[in-house]
Amino acid sequence: MLSLNKIIRKTHLWLGLTCGLVASFSGLTGALYVWQPEITALLNPHLLKVKSISDIDEATILKSVSTLTENIKDSIDKIYLPYREQQTISILFKNGKTNYYHPVNQDLLGSKSTSISFFENLLNLHRTLGIPKIGKYIVGTSAVLFFLFILTSGIYIWWKMFAHNFRKGFKIKWKSKKKEVQFFFT
């Protein structure tokens, strides 16, 4: 029969590996998504940039949004105002299409490009692992398991090993034997 220590070690190992995979994937996609505004603005200046945005006041932008809303009417799902690198007004329609408009003269600048779609899909992967409906629960549960169980079991394992010699528990052995490094994986 397995001892409690061995069960905790094995559970700690396998939960750590699975949660680590989810956390690594989420971390990589999140690290890429951080650069989304700068990259999309660089690749799509015709959609996201206008000349002298600092000269345009909020009242002008709101008047443009009002005019666009009146002209387009029912089919609007969301309206995005200029923010960070996006200096234009974007309108998401109920059919899923997105158009970009000049914030002063309301000219149509174009529709969503592939680079913008790429980053939207990347954010979806980051939040849900690309698994509809249950992906966000997998990511959330993995984070909770990582924080609660893996942290507490790791503290327990450390305590069992170094309860009698705390100094050894905080010391790093730079020239340890291979077997000592692989101790936790057996």
Side-chain angles (χ1 to χ4, degrees):
M1 183 161 158
L2 290 173
S3 69
L4 179 65
N5 285 344
K6 218 167 192 148
I7 292 171
I8 290 175
R9 282 180 187 271
K10 291 290 184 185
T11 307
H12 178 83
L13 171 69
W14 291 107
L15 272 179
L17 288 172
T18 53
C19 290
L21 286 173
V22 172
S24 295
F25 183 78
S26 191
L28 286 172
T29 55
L32 277 172
Y33 191 76
V34 165
W35 298 100
Q36 177 268 338
E38 291 81 6
I39 293 172
T40 54
L42 184 69
L43 295 175
N44 304 290
H46 61 285
L47 294 177
L48 304 175
K49 297 282 186 186
V50 293
K51 292 181 181 172
S52 62
I53 187 71
S54 58
D55 297 339
I56 304 171
D57 62 336
E58 288 182 22
T60 306
I61 293 171
L62 293 176
K63 184 179 177 191
S64 295
V65 168
S66 175
T67 305
L68 286 167
T69 306
E70 288 174 15
N71 293 342
I72 300 171
K73 304 235 190 251
D74 307 354
S75 59
I76 295 176
D77 189 29
K78 293 180 185 174
I79 298 175
Y80 296 98
L81 299 177
Y83 179 71
R84 287 180 67 180
E85 304 297 321
Q86 179 180 337
Q87 300 172 346
T88 57
I89 298 169
S90 60
I91 298 178
L92 175 64
F93 295 96
K94 290 180 181 174
N95 65 3
K97 186 178 177 187
T98 302
N99 286 341
Y100 294 85
Y101 297 90
H102 194 279
V104 176
N105 56 23
Q106 299 101 33
D107 288 342
L108 176 65
L109 301 173
S111 59
K112 187 188 318 179
S113 68
T114 44
S115 62
I116 295 171
S117 296
F118 168 77
F119 279 105
E120 287 176 356
N121 293 334
L122 185 69
L123 182 61
N124 182 40
L125 283 173
H126 174 71
R127 291 179 175 166
T128 67
L129 302 175
I131 305 169
K133 297 181 183 175
I134 64 166
K136 63 183 176 181
Y137 300 111
I138 293 171
V139 172
T141 303
S142 177
V144 170
L145 282 175
F146 182 74
F147 181 73
L148 294 177
F149 186 78
I150 295 175
L151 182 65
T152 55
S153 64
I155 291 170
Y156 173 80
I157 292 167
W158 180 87
W159 180 264
K160 282 299 218 180
M161 286 181 65
F162 302 109
H164 301 295
N165 191 355
F166 281 121
R167 190 172 185 174
K168 187 178 177 185
F170 288 103
K171 189 174 180 182
I172 298 173
K173 286 186 177 180
W174 296 106
K175 296 184 179 184
S176 63
K177 297 176 187 173
K178 186 177 179 182
K179 190 168 185 148
E180 288 178 7
V181 174
Q182 292 179 346
F183 176 73
F184 288 108
F185 298 108
T186 55

